[in-house]
Amino acid sequence: MSNPDVKHLVPMVAGKEMRKARKDLRIIKTARDQKAINRAVENGFFPLMKPVIPSSEIHATVAVYQDPNTGHIEVGGDFRRGPEDYGDGNYETVVHISYYAYHFPAPFAAYLLPVGLAIGELVILEDVIDDIVGSRFQGNTYRLEKCEAIWNGRDFKLQIPDVDTSRIG
Amino acid sequence: MKFNPITRRLYTNQGIHIKTLHCPYSQRWDALRQVEGHKTRKCDLCAKDIVDTRGLADESVLTLVARDASACLKVDVSQDNIRVVNLE
């Protein structure tokens, strides 16, 4: 895993050149169960195993509004709307809970290291395993999904960006 | 529109799935080059125009994606035309 590959070393360039250089970054995939990890091994990757540990800093809020007459419920997660916006305005908040909203198939996962990954290489982690706050809205905190990272020969040093409320795709 | 930041799924207010947002390069809106006179920004990594959905009607976004399934969108959870859903 320490075979130097000049093309993928951390680009010491800025601005437009940096944007061009980012296109050349390798994308490191994540496998989230035994079958997927072993399939990757058969295809020449080495799995860098990690535990999947939910962080108490990651949480989303859900409110349940109920019509007291019929029992019908509506579920909300955006508090720019409240119970008064449902039905004839007679709905009431019956549940308001903050919870860990992510689901993963196993309590472990692996970054799939490609052959020739060089020490100091800047890559993109397509599916970050660590629970890191990537965005905040109305008190909700969402996971950082993707992130640039530098391979140090043993692990990735994540280049954690500022929190951002927008998504692209 | 409704957007789930956990699954990154974008829906119309009627619950029709528009698109699941995915960018392999973890591009950020602030880092993209603005296209003068347009609501789009240029992504130099995949040479696509990214459409800002702020202020757009559900039908416009649905039509855009129906015409080009690989159309790239930008959604901000604080937009007035977005309702966040944390559960589907």
Side-chain angles (χ1 to χ4, degrees):
Chain A
M1 291 301 149
S2 59
N3 181 24
D5 183 343
V6 175
K7 183 185 168 195
H8 294 295
L9 291 178
V10 181
M12 296 300 180
V13 290
K16 197 173 179 181
E17 287 178 32
M18 174 60 105
R19 284 200 299 274
K20 279 183 185 171
R22 285 191 68 217
K23 191 174 185 177
D24 295 329
L25 297 184
R26 282 201 267 193
I27 295 172
I28 303 296
K29 296 199 170 291
T30 296
R32 288 194 172 271
D33 61 35
Q34 182 182 1
K35 202 172 172 182
I37 291 167
N38 283 333
R39 195 184 315 125
V41 169
E42 288 164 17
N43 287 313
F45 293 88
F46 189 87
L48 177 66
M49 298 303 303
K50 300 268 182 188
V52 171
I53 304 170
S55 165
S56 59
E57 287 187 37
I58 307 282
H59 46 81
T61 304
V62 161
V64 180
Y65 309 122
Q66 187 171 42
D67 181 331
N69 300 317
T70 66
H72 181 262
I73 65 163
E74 295 282 355
V75 179
D78 190 322
F79 300 104
R80 289 173 290 189
R81 290 186 87 183
E84 64 279 3
D85 294 309
Y86 295 96
D88 297 327
N90 62 327
Y91 277 58
E92 297 171 350
T93 304
V94 292
V95 174
H96 186 278
I97 189 166
S98 184
Y99 76 118
Y100 188 83
Y102 294 87
H103 303 281
F104 298 110
F108 56 84
Y111 292 123
L112 304 178
L113 308 181
V115 173
L117 188 63
I119 292 174
E121 180 173 340
L122 182 66
V123 298
I124 295 172
L125 301 180
E126 193 181 50
D127 174 11
V128 174
I129 297 172
D130 291 329
D131 256 6
I132 297 164
V133 175
S135 106
R136 296 177 193 273
F137 183 65
Q138 293 184 339
N140 298 315
T141 45
Y142 302 104
R143 298 182 74 249
L144 178 68
E145 293 155 7
K146 303 172 195 308
C147 183
E148 290 183 1
I150 296 171
W151 175 245
N152 69 8
R154 296 173 65 90
D155 205 346
F156 289 107
K157 170 79 175 163
L158 274 58
Q159 310 294 293
I160 299 171
D162 294 335
V163 292
D164 187 7
T165 54
S166 67
R167 304 289 175 91
I168 285 173
Chain B
M1 286 172 282
K2 296 177 185 173
F3 182 64
N4 186 334
I6 296 157
T7 60
R8 304 184 307 278
R9 291 193 191 116
L10 181 67
Y11 299 92
T12 64
N13 285 326
Q14 277 66 49
I16 300 167
H17 181 244
I18 300 173
K19 190 175 185 196
T20 299
L21 272 57
H22 170 73
C23 169
Y25 297 110
S26 70
Q27 278 287 45
R28 292 168 76 88
W29 182 247
D30 293 345
L32 300 175
R33 187 159 44 88
Q34 202 149 7
V35 180
E36 210 171 320
H38 293 271
K39 269 178 75 80
T40 59
R41 290 195 181 184
K42 195 86 181 168
C43 175
D44 291 329
L45 297 182
C46 48
K48 275 186 183 173
D49 288 340
I50 297 168
V51 178
D52 186 356
T53 60
R54 187 181 298 270
L56 294 182
D58 291 19
E59 294 71 28
S60 305
V61 181
L62 198 56
T63 304
L64 178 77
V65 174
R67 212 176 286 152
D68 175 11
S70 69
C72 206
L73 308 175
K74 172 259 187 179
V75 170
D76 193 305
V77 289
S78 66
Q79 285 175 206
D80 288 341
N81 61 339
I82 287 290
R83 291 286 172 265
V84 171
V85 290
N86 290 320
L87 190 68
E88 292 169 37

